[in-house]
Amino acid sequence: MGESIRFFSIQWRILPPIIIALLLYIPIIVSGSFFKPFNVSYDHRALIIAGKRRMLVSAGIHYPRATPEMWSDLIEKSKEGGADVIQTYVFWNGHEPVKGQYNFEGRYDLVKFVKLIGSSGLYLHLRIGPYVCAECNFGGFPVWLRDVPGIEFRTDNEPFKKEMQKFVTKIVDLMREAKLFCWQGGPIIMLQIENEYGDVEKSYGQKGKDYVKWAASMALGLGAGVPWVMCKQTDAPENIIDACNGYYCDGFKPNSQTKPVLWTEDWDGWYTKWGGSLPHRPAEDLAFAVARFYQRGGSFQNYYMYFGGTNFGRTSGGPFYITSYDYDAPLDEYGLRSEPKWGHLKDLHAAIKLCEPALVAADAPQYRKLGSKQEAHIYHGHGETGGKVCAAFLANIDEHKSAHVKFNGQSYTLAPWSVSILPDCRHVAFNTAKVGAQTSVKTVESARPRVGSMSILQEVVRQDNVSYISKSWMALKEPIGIWGENNFTFQGLLEHLNVTKDRSDYLWHKTRINVTEDDISFWKKNGANPTVSIDSMRDVLRVFVNKQLSGSVVGHWVKAVQPVSFVQGNNDLLLLTQTVGLQNYGAFLEMDGAGFRGKAKLTGFKNGDMDLSKSSWTYQVGLKGEAEKIYTVEHNEKAEWSTLETDVSSSIFMWYKTYFDTPDGTDPVVLDLESMGKGQAWVNGHHIGRYWNIISQKDGCEKACDYRGAYNSDKCTTNCGQPTQTRYYVPRSWLKPSSNLLVLFEETGGNPFKILVKTVTAGILCGQVSESHYPPLRKWSTPDYINGTLSIDSVAPEVHLHCEDGHVISSIEFASYGTPRGSCHRFSIGKCHASNSISIVSEACKGRNSCFIEVSNTAFRSDPCSGILKTLAVMARCSSTQNTSDLGF
C-alpha cells in the first residue's frame, strides 16, 4: 500500500459507547500489505475477526460481469453504501475453458480483483463452488467436464471429485501464493464449497450425502485457515457453517448451536428471461427483510446482487437468460447507483452499524411482544470500554395497518411491514418503510458525434430528430447449411453438445430426402404437406429445405412440429439447432445436453413416415463468419463485404459491419438494437453478447407497486408488452476515440440503419423529505453529538442530493418547501409554499456534485404555514462537468 498510518489522540471517556465501538471496528491498513494479519473464527453469535465479533454487510459482485476498469469504482461504491465485505463466485468455466489450460487475465484476473478489494479496506467472501449456478452458462462448469469418461457431476463420483478437487486446490493455492488470506494480511475472511446442493441432494440418494461429507473434508484439508460455508445445506458437517439463501432469512437457524446465522444470498431482485418482464424488488421490502434478519439474530448478510453486471459473450445461462444481469441491484448494470434503493440501504447499514456494539455484546436478544403483529428485540450488554450499550428493533409485520406501540415508556408509530431501529433503545434512527434517500431517474440519450472527429466511414443519419449510428453499412451473407471442409457425416442424429462442445451456439444438420412423383400427387390430393416431427428439442430449431427457411421452433425440451415443402427429386433438409444459454440449475446437469431428444421423423409420405433418427446426417459446427473471426479488427477486412443499400429488404443470416465514434464524456455507452431481430454483436472484437428483440407478455405488470407483504419475482414487474432488452452495454474500456468496429450477426432480419449509440446517466434527481423524517444518520457521528452538546432530538431532517462522479447539479427544475403535491417528475406546488424555495435550494446545490438541504423553517428563513407539517420536494438535473463550462461553474 505504501501509505503511512495516522495516529491520533481521542478523549475516550467522553465518547458514547456506540462511537467507541465503531472506531475500534475500523479495519487497520498496514504498510506493505492490506491489513495487519488477523485470524477469523466464529461462535454461535457471529464471525469473530481479529478477536472481535462483527455484524457484517456484504455486497455481491461477480468480477467477470464487469471489466477490470470498472472494478475499483464498484468496490468503492459498495464501501460508500455501507458494505464491509465483497462476495463473489469463482467461475470455473472462465478460468479453465480448456482442460488444463488456465485463464486468469482480463475479466478473469481474480488476483487483481481480490487485491483491489483489499486495497479498499474491505473483506472478501470467496465462493469457490465450483458449481455456482448464478444464471451462468452451464452453472459455471466448463463444458469439457461432461466429456471426462465415467463422470457424474456433484455426487460421489471419482472422476468428478478428482477434477473438482484439482480446481478448488488451484484457487486456494493461488490465493495463498498471492498472500490474500486474512492471516497473511489479505482480505479473504471466508470461503464456500459447493452451492445450494441441498436443493438437489435427494436426487442422488446416499451418494449425495457421501459427497457432501467428502466436499467438506476436502475443503477443510486444504488448510486455507478461514471458515468455510455451505449454503442451503442443512446437513453441512460440524466444521462447515450452513447458510441461508432467499428473499427472507430472518427465521433461519443453522444446524448447530455453535454456528452463527449467515445469509449468503439476499435476493434483492431477480434475473430476466427473453420474453419476460423486468422484476423489481421495492427498497422498503428489501430493507425490511434485512432489518428483520439482524433483529432476530443474524450477523452476516450478503446482497445477491449488489452489482449484477452483464453476461458478456455467451456466458448467460439458461435457457433463455438475457444479456443484462442488472438484477434490480443497488448498482445497475453499468455501475450507476439505483436510487432510492442504494441510498435507502446505505441509511439502513448506517443504522445497523450504530447498533453493532450492542448486537455483538449480547449472546441473544430479549424478546418483547408489543401487539398482535408487533414485536421488539432488545440487545444490551457492555461495550468494548465497559460502558452499557443498548439497541432495539421494533417490528410491525402487519401487511396492511400501521400500529401504535409502547416501548420503554415511549410511544412509537410503526408503518405496515416495517422495522424501526433504535441504536440507543430510545431514538428511532431509521424505519424501513420511510424512504429519505433521493430518487434517480436514468436518462438514455442518443450520442452526438464527437466535434471535428466525424470519419468518412461514420456519419450520423438524422431522421425525425433521431441520430442513428451510421449511414455507411456493409453486409455479408452467411451460408445456409454446410459451409466448410471440417464437416463430417454420421448415421443418426447426434446430441448437440457432443458435437459443438459449446464452441458455438449453432449446429447444422443436413440430410438428403428423395421425393417421388407419387409423393407429390399424394400431397396435392390430400391438401397437406409433409411435416418434420421431433419428440423434444431445445432452445431454437430452424428448418430449411433447399436452403429456404420453412419455419422455426423455440422452447425448452418441447415437441417440434414444422410443415415443409419438397420438390420432386432430391431435396436438402437442413436442421439448425441453437442454444441460448446452457442449463445452469438442477440435478444431473451433465445429462441435460442440447439439440434433440427422442425420435425425429418426416410424416405425411405416401408410403408412411420416414425415421430421420436413422438417416445419414452431415454435421457442421458454427458459422463460417465465426470460424473466420470476421468480427475482429484483425480479420474483418479479409471477408468479402459489400455495401449495404438503405432500400434493401432485411434478410436472414446476414453479417453487418460499420464504424462509429465514441461519445464524449464518461457516461456509460449502450447500443440500441431495437431495430434488429436476433443475433450476436461485437465491438472492436469484444463480444458484447446475444441480442433478441422479443416482446414480453402483455399482462402481469402492476400499475403501482405496493412494498407491503412477501415479495416474489412476479410482484412489481415492469415492461409488459415491450421488448425484454433493447440496450446492450459497451464498456468504454473497449472503445477507441473514433472508428470503433461494430459487427453483428443477424439471424432473423433487421434494419441496421436504425441502430443507435446512446449514453446513460442519472440525469434527474428527486428528493422528498418531511419534517417528520428522522435526523440524518451522519449526525449521530458528529463531534457535537459525540461530545454530548447536541441532542439528536434537536436535529432536523434533510434532503441529500448527489450526482454520479463527473457530474454536477446544473439546474433546479422544481423546489417547494411547504405542502407540495405529486412525486418525482410530477411535482406541483401545494397550498403552502415558501416562495424562496428554488433560490435556497439553488444556492445550496447548483454547481456541486452533492448537497444537503435542511428541512426546517430556519433553513428557509420563515414558516410558510404555521402548525402544518411541511415537506421539501426537489427535482434537480445533473450534467457532465464537461458540458457545464457555459454555466460558469
Side-chain angles (χ1 to χ4, degrees):
M1 292 291 294
E3 297 182 3
S4 60
I5 306 173
R6 290 186 179 182
F7 294 90
F8 52 94
S9 176
I10 299 177
Q11 297 297 316
W12 292 100
R13 285 175 293 180
I14 68 172
L15 298 183
I18 288 175
I19 304 303
I20 294 172
L22 285 175
L23 289 171
L24 290 172
Y25 289 134
I26 296 173
I28 300 173
I29 308 297
V30 180
S31 179
S33 64
F34 301 113
F35 301 95
K36 181 180 179 180
F38 63 92
N39 291 319
V40 177
S41 59
Y42 58 87
D43 62 12
H44 72 284
R45 183 67 187 98
L47 292 177
I48 299 173
I49 295 178
K52 298 182 178 69
R53 288 178 177 171
R54 290 298 312 274
M55 296 290 113
L56 298 173
V57 172
S58 174
I61 300 174
H62 294 161
Y63 52 96
R65 284 174 160 146
T67 61
E69 293 78 7
M70 297 169 65
W71 290 344
S72 290
D73 184 61
L74 296 173
I75 293 166
E76 287 305 317
K77 283 178 177 175
S78 301
K79 182 177 181 178
E80 182 188 358
D84 309 287
V85 183
I86 300 295
Q87 183 200 81
T88 187
Y89 282 125
V90 178
F91 293 83
W92 190 358
N93 54 2
H95 289 301
E96 193 179 2
V98 178
K99 184 175 170 58
Q101 298 180 20
Y102 294 98
N103 172 29
F104 290 97
E105 299 178 351
R107 291 187 293 114
Y108 292 94
D109 191 343
L110 178 59
V111 169
K112 179 177 181 178
F113 181 68
V114 178
K115 286 183 175 180
L116 287 172
I117 293 168
S119 66
S120 74
L122 297 183
Y123 304 129
L124 173 65
H125 176 207
L126 192 64
R127 308 173 78 190
I128 301 177
Y131 167 73
V132 299
C133 183
E135 291 71 61
C136 174
N137 194 55
F138 211 38
F141 285 136
V143 174
W144 60 258
L145 192 65
R146 69 196 297 273
D147 294 328
V148 173
I151 200 163
E152 295 177 43
F153 291 3
R154 305 176 74 196
T155 188
D156 189 15
N157 171 267
E158 290 304 322
F160 177 76
K161 292 192 296 183
K162 177 181 177 182
E163 296 296 338
M164 174 176 166
Q165 182 168 358
K166 183 163 61 174
F167 180 74
V168 173
T169 302
K170 175 82 175 179
I171 298 301
V172 171
D173 287 348
L174 185 68
M175 297 299 102
R176 184 187 289 113
E177 290 164 7
K179 300 186 184 305
L180 295 175
F181 286 106
C182 59
W183 48 270
Q184 299 173 299
I188 301 174
I189 61 169
M190 191 161 59
L191 298 172
Q192 178 175 306
I193 194 69
E194 250 299 335
N195 185 52
E196 296 185 333
Y197 189 69
D199 288 350
V200 299
E201 183 176 345
K202 288 183 180 179
S203 300
Y204 297 98
Q206 184 59 44
K207 292 181 70 175
K209 296 179 180 180
D210 294 341
Y211 167 69
V212 170
K213 296 176 182 177
W214 169 84
S217 176
M218 181 270 291
L220 293 169
L222 295 176
V226 296
W228 287 82
V229 304
M230 285 181 167
C231 60
K232 300 181 79 171
Q233 195 66 52
T234 56
D235 61 347
E238 180 61 29
N239 292 328
I240 303 287
I241 307 171
D242 56 311
C244 183
N245 290 358
Y247 291 119
Y248 305 92
C249 282
D250 54 285
F252 172 77
K253 298 297 180 187
N255 63 9
S256 169
Q257 295 182 356
T258 64
K259 301 177 183 180
V261 179
L262 310 184
W263 191 358
T264 39
E265 290 187 18
D266 176 359
W267 301 333
D268 52 22
W270 203 241
Y271 58 84
T272 305
K273 289 190 173 186
W274 296 112
S277 54
L278 304 181
H280 298 280
R281 188 174 186 188
E284 300 94 327
D285 173 69
L286 179 58
F288 172 78
V290 175
R292 287 287 285 166
F293 176 72
Y294 288 101
Q295 174 180 6
R296 300 183 66 187
S299 61
F300 174 100
Q301 174 266 341
N302 172 74
Y303 293 101
Y304 188 100
M305 302 293 300
Y306 199 78
F307 163 80
T310 306
N311 293 313
F312 294 116
R314 298 170 50 249
T315 60
S316 61
F320 304 122
Y321 297 151
I322 68 172
T323 297
S324 170
Y325 199 64
D326 182 88
Y327 215 85
D328 194 37
L331 298 178
D332 71 10
E333 179 180 2
Y334 321 116
L336 303 176
R337 299 176 185 89
S338 293
E339 302 271 29
K341 182 174 280 189
W342 182 89
H344 193 49
L345 295 177
K346 177 183 179 180
D347 290 343
L348 167 66
H349 303 153
I352 291 171
K353 289 302 173 186
L354 292 173
C355 298
E356 185 171 17
L359 292 174
V360 300
D363 282 335
Q366 174 189 347
Y367 175 80
R368 191 180 302 172
K369 194 166 183 61
L370 303 177
S372 61
K373 294 185 177 181
Q374 295 78 38
E375 59 188 22
H377 290 73
I378 306 101
Y379 293 84
H380 52 78
H382 290 87
E384 289 284 336
T385 60
K388 291 183 178 180
V389 290
C390 184
F393 296 74
L394 313 183
N396 179 14
I397 58 176
D398 192 309
E399 299 179 17
H400 307 290
K401 298 178 182 179
S402 295
H404 304 283
V405 300
K406 285 278 190 179
F407 175 72
N408 286 355
Q410 294 194 167
S411 298
Y412 298 88
T413 299
L414 303 177
W417 200 253
S418 78
V419 177
S420 284
I421 299 177
L422 290 63
D424 58 2
C425 284
R426 181 184 173 195
H427 297 96
V428 176
F430 180 85
N431 178 271
T432 59
K434 203 161 192 172
V435 179
Q438 71 178 23
T439 294
S440 62
V441 180
K442 306 291 172 59
T443 56
V444 183
E445 299 177 352
S446 296
R448 296 292 183 258
R450 298 169 61 88
V451 177
S453 66
M454 193 181 298
S455 65
I456 296 174
L457 287 169
Q458 188 262 335
E459 295 181 18
V460 174
V461 185
R462 295 181 183 272
Q463 298 176 13
D464 302 325
N465 294 320
V466 176
S467 298
Y468 296 113
I469 184 173
S470 177
K471 70 176 183 181
S472 177
W473 281 90
M474 305 194 80
L476 177 66
K477 181 69 176 176
E478 172 68 27
I480 303 294
I482 308 303
W483 50 263
E485 296 181 357
N486 58 340
N487 63 76
F488 67 95
T489 301
F490 184 83
Q491 197 77 23
L493 282 172
L494 295 173
E495 192 273 330
H496 179 107
L497 283 182
N498 284 341
V499 181
T500 67
K501 310 300 181 187
D502 199 38
R503 295 190 301 268
S504 169
D505 283 353
Y506 309 96
L507 177 62
W508 288 103
H509 315 59
K510 174 186 173 183
T511 193
R512 184 66 55 85
I513 305 296
N514 184 264
V515 174
T516 66
E517 183 178 355
D518 287 345
D519 290 322
I520 300 291
S521 298
F522 178 74
W523 296 330
K524 288 182 178 180
K525 178 180 178 182
N526 290 279
N529 286 330
T531 298
V532 173
S533 177
I534 299 170
D535 286 351
S536 185
M537 56 74 57
R538 63 156 295 189
D539 302 329
V540 178
L541 167 66
R542 305 200 189 279
V543 180
F544 298 81
V545 175
N546 300 324
K547 298 189 177 182
Q548 298 299 308
L549 181 64
S550 298
S552 303
V553 181
V554 176
H556 181 61
W557 297 126
V558 297
K559 186 175 180 64
V561 178
Q562 176 59 52
V564 291
S565 295
F566 293 118
V567 298
Q568 186 175 335
N570 288 328
N571 294 261
D572 286 339
L573 174 64
L574 289 161
L575 305 180
L576 177 66
T577 52
Q578 300 175 219
T579 52
V580 189
L582 300 186
Q583 189 77 18
N584 60 263
Y585 178 79
F588 311 112
L589 275 183
E590 73 279 5
M591 299 173 62
D592 186 72
F596 304 132
R597 283 180 181 172
K599 289 189 175 182
K601 58 186 177 181
L602 267 175
T603 65
F605 280 74
K606 181 179 180 181
N607 294 327
D609 297 343
M610 183 181 301
D611 188 353
L612 296 176
S613 306
K614 298 179 180 178
S615 298
S616 178
W617 291 89
T618 300
Y619 294 87
Q620 179 86 63
V621 175
L623 308 171
K624 183 179 181 182
E626 281 182 307
E628 295 180 352
K629 298 183 178 179
I630 66 173
Y631 50 82
T632 64
V633 174
E634 298 81 6
H635 297 284
N636 86 92
E637 295 293 349
K638 298 176 183 178
E640 297 180 357
W641 299 94
S642 60
T643 300
L644 181 66
E645 303 297 333
T646 56
D647 57 353
V648 172
S649 300
S650 65
S651 301
I652 65 170
F653 283 66
M654 293 293 296
W655 291 88
Y656 299 108
K657 79 166 183 176
T658 194
Y659 293 85
F660 68 96
D661 292 342
T662 300
D664 285 326
T666 59
D667 293 333
V669 177
V670 295
L671 292 177
D672 187 328
L673 301 181
E674 189 171 1
S675 66
M676 304 305 290
K678 180 184 182 295
Q680 300 179 45
W682 294 259
V683 172
N684 293 332
H686 297 280
H687 195 171
I688 66 172
R690 302 182 181 96
Y691 67 85
W692 196 352
N693 191 20
I694 186 170
I695 307 298
S696 65
Q697 69 273 15
K698 292 183 179 180
D699 301 324
C701 293
E702 304 170 15
K703 291 183 179 180
C705 174
D706 188 345
Y707 77 89
R708 298 173 298 180
Y711 177 78
N712 62 72
S713 60
D714 295 326
K715 182 179 180 180
C716 297
T717 57
T718 62
N719 208 51
C720 289
Q722 302 296 320
T724 301
Q725 183 176 356
T726 59
R727 295 191 291 269
Y728 298 83
Y729 180 44
V730 185
R732 281 188 176 266
S733 60
W734 291 357
L735 296 171
K736 303 178 296 180
S738 61
S739 300
N740 294 286
L741 173 66
L742 169 62
V743 177
L744 302 102
F745 173 64
E746 172 58 51
E747 299 174 20
T748 62
N751 184 356
F753 289 103
K754 291 192 174 182
I755 292 175
L756 296 159
V757 177
K758 296 183 175 181
T759 56
V760 183
T761 188
I764 299 294
L765 307 179
C766 293
Q768 190 171 18
V769 173
S770 75
E771 293 176 302
S772 66
H773 273 71
Y774 307 115
L777 282 145
R778 63 192 182 93
K779 295 293 186 179
W780 287 74
S781 302
T782 59
D784 287 343
Y785 176 74
I786 293 173
N787 295 331
T789 59
L790 174 70
S791 168
I792 206 68
D793 291 325
S794 65
V795 179
E798 62 187 16
V799 168
H800 179 205
L801 301 178
H802 59 96
C803 302
E804 289 288 333
D805 292 344
H807 295 74
V808 296
I809 297 170
S810 55
S811 64
I812 303 300
E813 306 288 311
F814 177 91
S816 178
Y817 174 65
T819 56
R821 296 189 293 259
S823 57
C824 190
H825 261 310
R826 291 183 290 275
F827 286 135
S828 63
I829 293 173
K831 292 181 179 180
C832 171
H833 169 68
S835 59
N836 62 352
S837 296
I838 284 189
S839 63
I840 294 292
V841 174
S842 295
E843 182 181 354
C845 298
K846 276 189 72 173
R848 294 181 170 87
N849 171 262
S850 173
C851 64
F852 300 88
I853 313 104
E854 187 177 288
V855 184
S856 70
N857 294 332
T858 301
F860 287 86
R861 302 167 191 160
S862 67
D863 185 347
C865 43
S866 179
I868 295 176
L869 181 69
K870 287 167 282 295
T871 295
L872 173 61
V874 180
M875 187 170 84
R877 185 176 298 276
C878 292
S879 298
S880 170
T881 53
Q882 296 184 11
N883 300 328
T884 54
S885 57
D886 59 326
L887 300 177
F889 298 152

